[in-house]
Amino acid sequence: LIRGVNIGGFLVPEFWITPYLVANIADPKPTDYLELCHRLGPDATLRLMRAHWESWVTEAEVQRLAKAGLTHLRVPIGHWEFVDSDEGYVRGGLPYFKRLVYWAHKYGLQVIADMHTAPGSQNGFDNSGSTQGVNWTRDPKNVALSKRALQAMLKYIASDPVVLATIDAIDLLNEPLIDALDFEQLWEYDTGGHTLVAQGLHKTPPVVSIVDRGFKDYSWWQPRWPRDWNSKYIDAWLDAHLYHVFDRNIDVWPLEKHLQLVAQNGRDLKSNSTAFPILVGEWSLALPQAAVNGRENQARRMFAEAQLDAYEQGGAGWVFWCFKTEASPDWSFLDALDRLWIPQPLSARMFPPGGAPRKPYPKFVWSPAGGWWAQPKTWKRNTLIIGGGITLFMAFVFKKSAELEQRTLYPRVWIPSMMWAKQFKASIYMQSSCD
């Protein structure tokens, strides 16, 4: 069972993950990697990207991901690393991909190599490298280039024993927007890709081919799924990406309805997993603001636990998007660990299935540092009570101090305690000091 994380924003830049890459570029900022390459030119782009590839993922982070109980890293790769499509992409990331795979191997992690992009773009999103339309199947040359890129990637993997031993799945193409593509060409690519993986990477059990569901329901896929796949070994999975922030129809939902949708997703995964194992290849802790509603720690933790329970029902497992971001902790596995939104160990639960707290939500948390629950329901009343208590205690201490203060010598200069100390108000002090 896969429990993984995506190494997003690394070899396929997405500027919402790493806004620093475009921070020094004049407005309007590039919206995708291809535009960045065109704006900066090949030399400047390569200098920028080499610095990024060198630093964005560290060995210490890979070690921490392994210690957190993960089994896999899903690593998005651009087609431009394997073929020249004459689009203008700047390549050079493969040595850093290999370094990452070696780190994964060192710490006992497996790797999913994910062909994340296609010439002409398979979806028009920034994660495809280009936002200039969905043009992949409009030109047969683009699909042919994708096939060559996949072949070259498999050859690259097979050429290194450590890389081959560490990679146990190939994501054939990330998020193809099926309704905007010629499905016949896409399906020829997917089925041919499955054959290429089986023939090009000789391992037992075989390296798994992952087919993205392309924003279609599981029922749409059932009659199309080849019956000879998974007949002897598990060698093919369907990939589902499940998010809660890209559908305006659910933006106003309270948290409870989002948790109900997660549970329904889990039931759907389980009921369809008999037709094909399903990997939830992307999910996050991002929620509409209406669902968070001022209780971020509780909402994110409940959302995380619900998804962890639901997404293991598909038969293949899950992969969180992504391992880190610059400024979006709800999309960052490492930030979520720091904030205790992701449980440790991963099997730990603060809430039972359904989302109700195991204990009533605490009403008496007297300090912002008062444990995991820093947002009690009655924080205003608690603040008044504790503030009043502190004020009364300090008043008592002040009064006793003024009564008990004694000085054997009269101060040579004025000091503040002359205003309140009982000793200075008593005439006997003045008499004794004059004697």
Side-chain angles (χ1 to χ4, degrees), residues 387-401:
I390 291 173
T391 301
L392 290 174
F393 176 75
M394 294 305 297
F396 172 77
V397 171
F398 180 84
K399 181 175 181 297
K400 295 300 294 183
S401 174

Side-chain angles (χ1 to χ4, degrees), residues 105-351:
H105 182 79
K106 179 178 179 179
Y107 295 108
L109 294 166
Q110 297 294 116
V111 169
I112 300 170
D114 165 35
M115 186 65 77
H116 215 66
T117 70
S121 178
Q122 76 277 22
N123 56 33
F125 306 148
D126 60 343
N127 62 39
S128 73
S130 172
T131 56
Q132 303 305 307
V134 186
N135 301 307
W136 182 51
T137 58
R138 292 183 179 179
D139 186 343
K141 293 180 181 178
N142 289 334
V143 181
L145 277 171
S146 283
K147 293 177 182 177
R148 285 173 48 198
L150 180 60
Q151 288 176 313
M153 183 171 76
L154 297 176
K155 184 177 180 180
Y156 177 84
I157 292 169
S159 68
D160 187 299
V162 173
V163 175
L164 179 60
T166 307
I167 291 177
D168 63 0
I170 303 294
D171 204 326
L172 298 175
L173 184 61
N174 179 71
E175 292 187 347
L177 187 58
I178 288 178
D179 286 343
L181 296 170
D182 177 355
F183 179 71
E184 184 176 342
Q185 292 186 68
L186 169 62
W187 193 229
E188 181 185 356
Y189 169 83
D190 281 338
T191 54
H194 177 273
T195 300
L196 288 174
V197 171
Q199 295 176 349
L201 302 178
H202 300 288
K203 293 172 67 175
T204 304
V207 173
V208 175
S209 294
I210 301 174
V211 175
D212 194 293
R213 70 171 180 164
F215 308 97
K216 288 293 191 179
D217 291 337
Y218 306 125
S219 58
W220 187 90
W221 276 101
Q222 286 202 22
R224 294 169 171 83
W225 194 261
R227 294 188 178 184
D228 59 332
W229 288 5
N230 300 322
S231 59
K232 184 176 181 181
Y233 297 102
I234 299 299
D235 60 6
W237 297 334
L238 191 69
D239 186 9
H241 298 174
L242 302 178
Y243 291 121
H244 287 240
V245 287
F246 300 121
D247 182 352
R248 293 184 178 180
N249 295 319
I250 66 175
D251 279 353
V252 297
W253 282 8
L255 176 64
E256 290 68 25
K257 290 198 70 173
H258 286 276
L259 298 178
Q260 291 170 10
L261 177 58
V262 170
Q264 181 60 56
N265 285 338
R267 290 190 290 270
D268 291 342
L269 289 167
K270 186 175 182 178
S271 64
N272 286 280
S273 63
T274 55
F276 30 66
I278 306 170
L279 174 73
V280 181
E282 294 184 19
W283 61 282
S284 76
L285 299 184
L287 280 166
Q289 195 56 43
V292 177
N293 193 27
R295 47 175 180 166
E296 183 168 43
N297 288 334
Q298 183 192 21
R300 307 282 186 209
R301 177 67 180 241
M302 293 173 72
F303 194 40
E305 291 186 7
Q307 291 184 96
L308 289 170
D309 289 338
Y311 299 162
E312 294 195 354
Q313 298 185 51
W318 50 262
V319 189
F320 186 92
W321 186 280
C322 62
F323 84 110
K324 74 175 180 182
T325 66
E326 270 195 77
S328 302
D330 46 343
W331 293 87
S332 168
F333 190 86
L334 292 174
D335 279 335
L337 286 178
D338 291 337
R339 295 166 186 247
L340 304 183
W341 297 343
I342 297 287
Q344 284 292 281
L346 293 170
S347 58
R349 295 292 178 268
M350 189 171 289
F351 302 94

